[in-house]
Amino acid sequence: MTTVRIALTGLGLITGAGNDVEKAWSSITQGISGIRMNTLFDASELRTTWAGQVTAPQPEEPDRCYSLAATAIQEALGNSGLDLDTVDRDRVAVVVGSSLGAMPTLEGVHRELVHEGRLDAGRAAASQLHCVGDYIAAEFDLRGPRVVLSNACAASAVALGYAAELLWKGDADYVICGGVDPLASLSSYGFSSLGALDPEPCAPMTASTGLTLGEGAGFMVLEPADRAAARGARALAELGGYGLSCDGYHQTAPDPSGKGAAAAMAEALATAGLETGDVDYLNLHGTGTPTNDGSEPKAVKRLFGSSIPPASSTKSIVGHTLGAAGAVEAVVSTLAIERGTLPPTINTQGRSSPFGLDIVPDVGRPAEPGVVLSNSFAFGGNNASVVLHRLGRTGPAPRRTAPVRGVVVTGAAGLAGAACDTAGLAAALADESPCFTGAEYVEGIGEVPVGRVDVKAATGKINPSRARRMDPLSLLAAAAVGDLYARHGKPSRAEAEGTGIVFATGYGPVTSVLQFHQGVLEQGISGANPALFANTVVNAAAGHVAMLHRYRGYTATIANGGTSSVLALQLAARVIARGAADRIMVVVADEFPAQALATQAGLPGYARSARVVPGGRTGAVLSEGAAAILLESEESAAARGADVLASVSGFGASGEAAGLGRIRRDGEAWARALSAAMAEAGTGPDGIGTVVSAASGYHQVDLAQARALDRAGLTGRPTTTPKALLGETYGSAAALGLVAALTGTAPRGHLLLSSFAYGGSYAAAVFDVGA
């Protein structure tokens, strides 16, 4: 297969250092701080009022997050010379990293609920994390694959990796990729409660007395280099590779040995076909906290030995922009390559780094870096590294970007509602017994049906001391993985440490976010519980599961509403196929506390009785659920004698500019995802043995899917509708459909998973079951 080289042809940037690329780069290279007094909200109770706040006025509606993203994307598109009206918008993907998303709006909705007892369900639903991607798609009329990654402070570095996977495989012609996060009181109170904020503007790698929060967005236009050349676009740099790893060590602190971070850097270089001696500059994660600044230099020394290139932290200038940091720093690293200047570390006060690094103190340094390695690390022990270099740069080793092996499923487990393990799930499906047996009162609506998981029963075998540190979402995820191992056997320690984890969720850790924020609303800083805050990041569940099972491999977290299962399976399969991992545990979970149920029940399409008939206009019933699917290479499965449950055949993803919380009824975009999955699997509609439907009883969704199936030629194919019994589990729905098939409730053969997300994104997958 031809190697795809990825060109960066457009950059957009808005941070406290400047409201566009030129202003920000000028401030950065001159060492002019973008950190100032926070005027967005009252920070008087916090350890500091300093923040890397954007100075350009931002509209409050629909959210500060969305306006920051739109500003950076508009600039990136303008700089790239890409006229979207001249390209196939169905082939333009949106890949975004964010930790907070539209948190300012969600905080406002929750404030009204806590203080006034009033819930604005529409605003709440339109401010979920996956809505960041939906807003971008609608604003710029982008109709290709769409995904939001949320590995906390590594989110947009992981997004760059996902974008690379799409382009290497040929799933898109162009990717609008980047990261965005606004300043928000939740994160500010959270980091303050951890004692992690520096009372003064941060001084990474020198004083190392804490971090300074920032906000902003960084976006890039990525495209195959040959496509860029054909349209006469100038390539500013090339995205050569990326590497991800998990420490499995601690929820908020990195492994002090730096082993996991070094592994991520090494993998990024190996993917790009480069070696440590090729690297000319390191853009450090460099937060300024004692734990990061102690472990990252160890990781660098572990990998580079005594030959360490210059290494600086631009967070000293713009602050820590959380999920946007990886993209912001990738933009800065690209500018370093393109313009011949190494960005500095400021606030040194004349001190040398005690770690022996050349941190490019105070002002930018003229240089000609050909290869840059940029690091981003995060809560949950997530490590991400990205390699950027001059276009066409080659190394001594072959690049590892093309698929070289097959991928199979060797384990599957799930739970939903009253079925708290796979056996219960299979029994409910066989007996046609609904799993949504509960009913709860919602103010202004009355009793509504709901599926609740008995978390205590599902997680009874987890060490109680570990379980006490876990939030409901993490417990659901852990229950699914535990049940998978109970059914298929536990790995050896060496196998476990070689296992990666891709976690996915439709809506994230809702309970932890609401409980932490309620404490702040009611008691201020004294109510900011640091233990709760550690679980408010979306990837917390992945960190907990990694610690439980000693995972040290690849890791990513996807938060994309109802398409999360399929997108997670796609990412894991792509990574394994090109040899970057032997096995990855895909875990998907969603929990729905009372406030989430009230939000859903307050919107159109919620059932008023526990009788759900997909396609029957009954309405849908919300149900908690989780699934675990173990993917591995054919070689790995054979070597350890694992039973193969199915083989991975194909994936498809698409989108439409439907607007926040909406989908179109014509089924056109949905059909494109279904057809793409079949095409990659090398089969047509007649070759599909079973369609696992996403129909839930909500007429708008069921009608759209029926039309999509018809457009894709699938009308009349054998179909299963698991949501009729499992309920609408959103993030885990498609994965639970796969679990159902693998536990014997669907015929063998080509199985097509169909999924959608409100906001207009769609994903499908084909598995060969029982081959």
Side-chain angles (χ1 to χ4, degrees), residues 205 281-284 300 308-313 343 345 357-360:
M205 299 298 163
Y281 165 65
L282 290 168
N283 190 289
L284 300 172
V300 169
I308 302 174
S312 66
S313 169
T345 306
L357 301 181
D358 174 4
I359 59 170
V360 192

Side-chain angles (χ1 to χ4, degrees), residues 246-431:
C246 54
D247 287 344
Y249 173 78
H250 190 274
Q251 275 304 95
T252 58
D255 182 341
S257 73
K259 182 179 179 181
M265 290 187 277
E267 177 61 31
L269 289 169
T271 301
L274 299 169
E275 297 179 341
T276 55
D278 297 312
V279 178
D280 301 305
Y281 165 65
L282 290 168
N283 190 289
L284 300 172
H285 184 54
T287 61
T289 63
T291 51
N292 177 86
D293 288 10
S295 65
E296 189 171 11
K298 289 180 183 177
V300 169
K301 292 175 181 178
R302 177 186 286 268
L303 184 64
F304 287 87
S306 59
S307 301
I308 302 174
S312 66
S313 169
T314 43
K315 290 184 178 71
S316 60
I317 300 171
V318 302
H320 192 346
T321 56
L322 300 181
V328 167
E329 288 156 19
V331 170
V332 170
S333 297
T334 299
L335 292 168
I337 293 169
E338 194 251 338
R339 302 194 180 184
T341 302
L342 303 184
T345 306
I346 69 168
N347 303 329
T348 67
Q349 297 183 13
R351 294 168 295 206
S352 298
S353 173
F355 309 106
L357 301 181
D358 174 4
I359 59 170
V360 192
D362 304 325
V363 294
R365 178 186 302 167
E368 296 295 331
V371 177
V372 174
L373 185 63
S374 181
N375 288 337
S376 296
F377 309 137
F379 278 8
N382 285 200
N383 308 298
S385 296
V386 176
V387 171
L388 298 154
H389 56 74
R390 294 188 187 282
L391 184 65
R393 175 68 180 262
T394 59
R399 292 158 59 86
R400 303 196 320 186
T401 60
V404 294
R405 55 190 186 177
V407 182
V408 294
V409 179
T410 56
L415 57 147
C420 62
D421 58 19
T422 309
L425 194 76
L429 292 167
D431 297 341

Side-chain angles (χ1 to χ4, degrees), residues 464-740:
S465 65
R466 287 192 178 274
R468 282 193 293 272
R469 299 186 183 98
M470 299 168 71
D471 66 312
L473 188 67
S474 300
L475 288 168
L476 287 172
V481 175
D483 193 37
L484 184 148
Y485 284 142
R487 292 171 56 79
H488 300 284
K490 291 185 177 180
S492 67
R493 178 159 187 161
E495 288 169 345
E497 290 187 350
T499 300
I501 177 170
V502 173
F503 177 66
T505 179
Y507 293 100
V510 184
T511 296
S512 293
V513 170
L514 294 176
Q515 288 182 350
F516 178 82
H517 191 234
Q518 184 165 347
V520 171
L521 290 173
E522 294 178 340
Q523 303 175 52
I525 192 63
S526 64
N529 184 330
L532 277 175
F533 179 65
N535 286 323
T536 63
V537 295
V538 180
N539 61 305
H544 282 298
V545 173
M547 286 188 286
L548 278 175
H549 298 288
R550 300 189 180 95
Y551 296 159
R552 302 290 187 271
Y554 184 99
T555 188
T557 292
I558 293 170
N560 216 67
T563 58
S564 296
S565 283
V566 174
L567 295 175
L569 290 164
Q570 179 185 40
L571 177 61
R574 296 279 194 261
V575 171
I576 293 169
R578 64 178 181 82
D582 289 327
R583 73 193 64 83
I584 295 175
M585 183 71 75
V586 175
V587 190
V588 198
D590 269 306
E591 46 111 7
F592 300 106
Q595 298 93 328
L597 174 61
T599 297
Q600 291 294 315
L603 298 171
Y606 200 91
R608 295 298 179 255
S609 75
R611 181 174 177 271
V612 170
V613 180
R617 296 176 180 261
T618 57
V621 173
L622 201 64
S623 186
E624 296 176 322
I629 310 290
L630 182 59
L631 298 185
E632 61 185 305
S633 69
E634 292 175 336
E635 293 87 345
S636 172
R640 66 186 192 89
D643 291 333
V644 174
L645 307 179
S647 59
V648 176
S649 297
F651 294 93
S654 63
E656 62 193 6
L660 298 178
R662 301 174 182 172
I663 65 169
R664 291 180 177 166
R665 299 187 182 190
D666 60 16
E668 188 274 331
W670 200 332
R672 283 193 278 111
L674 298 168
S675 297
M678 290 189 288
E680 186 174 302
T683 187
D686 291 343
I688 298 299
T690 305
V691 175
V692 178
S693 170
S696 64
Y698 178 30
H699 177 63
Q700 182 173 343
V701 171
D702 297 356
L703 177 62
Q705 185 185 236
R707 289 172 173 170
L709 293 172
D710 185 57
R711 285 175 179 267
L714 292 160
T715 299
R717 299 306 301 160
T719 301
T720 63
T721 54
K723 291 180 184 179
L725 300 174
L726 306 183
E728 178 55 272
T729 57
Y730 283 118
S732 60
L736 285 169
L738 180 58
V739 172

Side-chain angles (χ1 to χ4, degrees), residues 109-132:
V109 171
H110 192 223
R111 188 179 301 111
E112 291 173 354
L113 179 62
V114 170
H115 292 321
E116 304 172 22
R118 179 166 55 90
L119 174 62
D120 188 331
R123 287 177 67 215
S127 305
Q128 300 301 311
L129 191 53
H130 67 86
C131 294
V132 179

Side-chain angles (χ1 to χ4, degrees), residues 428-457:
L429 292 167
D431 297 341
E432 297 187 357
S433 302
C435 294
F436 37 87
T437 56
E440 296 177 16
Y441 180 78
V442 174
E443 187 70 33
I445 296 174
E447 292 279 328
V448 297
V450 65
R452 291 283 183 219
V453 174
D454 183 343
V455 176
K456 186 175 181 180

